[in-house]
Amino acid sequence: MKTLKAVIVEDSRLARNELKELLTSHKEIELIGEAANVDDGFKLITANNPDLLFLDINMPEKDGFELLEMLDEVPLTIFTTAFDEYAIKSFEYNAFDYLLKPINQKRFAQSIEKVLEKGSNSESPDPKNENALSLDKQIFIKDGEKCWLVKIQDIFMFEIVGNYTRVFFKNNKPLIYKSLGRIEEKLPNDIFFRANRQQLININHVNKVVSWFNGKLKIEMNSGDEVEISRRQSYLFKEQLSF
């Protein structure tokens, strides 16, 4: 099993030291850095691309959720908090796990065991696009007061809405302030297909393809949403799926 790289983002020196001490018993996890605030944490994560993030929720100036919003790709995240209310809220964000301070050694070991199991099952990025996120990677989405950590494979469509992009997964359709072009650059291009100028679809969520007017195709997603593929893209879609 490969060693997993971890970082700590925590404003309390005492809490950081506690986590480091607990990690000494788990040689499968390599601590590669620590930060005391969100901005330094962001630099650390983007520079090192860790597998695991220990993240304090309640920090001054910017909190842990704001850090996740800044990241294009979110590592496996274990929230650390001294407050039950934040721990409960972290479940709404679909955190991988959370630990209440002071951290119990047995509870910590259980969390690391989950991490190692998850890490051994992770997929590799698409070799055709070295910068692409693998399907089991997760992104952080914030729309107003609601937030989600969503796996790439669970997103079935992106759609331009003015200066925003709407993200479709399950029964949710939040808006994010990122361009569709920037999003497309990070996605595996053999799975996500640009249907037209406005929409990008996950072909694994396609239910039905039918011929449409003027040589176009019409897609029905598993969700029931219908997407019209432009004439030029219809040709590429047939070629990609060997129709």
Side-chain angles (χ1 to χ4, degrees):
M1 180 182 295
K2 70 172 184 176
T3 301
L4 300 181
K5 299 183 297 181
V7 299
I8 298 170
V9 181
E10 161 69 66
D11 66 313
S12 165
R13 182 186 298 272
L14 181 64
R16 293 198 302 273
N17 288 339
E18 180 185 29
L19 284 167
K20 287 188 287 185
E21 178 63 28
L22 288 166
L23 280 169
T24 59
S25 300
H26 300 275
K27 303 304 181 184
E28 309 94 334
I29 308 294
E30 177 190 2
L31 182 64
I32 59 173
E34 58 183 280
N37 58 64
V38 165
D39 290 333
D40 288 345
F42 175 75
K43 294 175 185 176
L44 178 64
I45 293 168
T46 53
N48 294 280
N49 191 29
D51 305 295
L52 176 62
L53 168 62
F54 293 96
L55 179 61
D56 186 16
I57 298 176
N58 190 24
M59 292 183 283
E61 297 183 5
K62 296 177 182 176
D63 64 25
F65 298 129
E66 289 176 275
L67 171 59
L68 297 182
E69 190 177 7
M70 294 164 66
L71 297 170
D72 285 334
E73 174 188 347
V74 179
L76 288 176
T77 301
I78 298 177
F79 284 121
T80 59
T81 178
F83 306 101
D84 284 296
E85 61 184 286
Y86 286 103
I88 293 170
K89 187 177 182 181
S90 73
F91 271 117
E92 298 175 8
Y93 286 64
N94 195 28
F96 178 74
D97 204 354
Y98 79 95
L99 298 169
L100 287 176
K101 303 174 189 175
I103 299 171
N104 176 275
Q105 186 174 3
K106 182 178 179 180
R107 178 68 181 84
F108 184 83
Q110 291 172 342
S111 190
I112 294 299
E113 186 177 345
K114 288 173 61 179
V115 166
L116 296 175
E117 181 181 352
K118 178 68 176 176
S120 66
N121 294 327
S122 61
E123 299 177 8
S124 300
D126 175 16
K128 299 176 185 176
N129 181 2
E130 294 181 356
N131 295 319
L133 302 175
S134 58
L135 293 177
D136 68 338
K137 294 296 184 182
Q138 57 187 6
I139 61 173
F140 182 76
I141 298 174
K142 186 175 189 299
D143 186 3
E145 294 300 314
K146 294 184 177 181
C147 303
W148 303 264
L149 276 169
V150 186
K151 286 187 176 181
I152 299 297
Q153 63 192 8
D154 294 331
I155 298 172
F156 62 85
M157 185 164 64
F158 296 90
E159 182 178 64
I160 295 174
V161 181
N163 293 325
Y164 293 81
T165 297
R166 189 177 298 282
V167 186
F168 294 75
F169 57 96
K170 297 183 179 178
N171 295 319
N172 302 297
K173 301 178 183 180
L175 289 170
I176 58 175
Y177 192 60
K178 289 184 180 179
S179 72
L180 188 58
R182 179 183 171 187
I183 292 169
E184 188 173 8
E185 289 174 357
K186 300 293 292 182
L187 298 172
N189 51 29
D190 61 336
I191 301 298
F192 284 86
F193 181 81
R194 189 66 171 260
N196 50 58
R197 295 183 64 182
Q198 302 295 117
Q199 296 167 310
L200 182 70
I201 62 171
N202 182 336
I203 62 175
N204 289 338
H205 289 261
V206 170
N207 178 47
K208 185 167 60 177
V209 182
V210 297
S211 297
W212 204 237
F213 299 107
N214 300 320
K216 299 178 182 179
L217 296 174
K218 190 173 185 180
I219 299 292
E220 180 184 299
M221 308 300 291
N222 290 332
S223 62
D225 293 272
E226 294 185 342
V227 178
E228 186 175 307
I229 303 184
S230 67
R231 183 185 302 176
R232 179 178 179 275
Q233 293 303 100
S234 290
Y235 172 80
L236 295 175
F237 188 78
K238 290 177 181 177
E239 189 176 64
Q240 181 168 327
L241 271 68
S242 301
F243 273 18

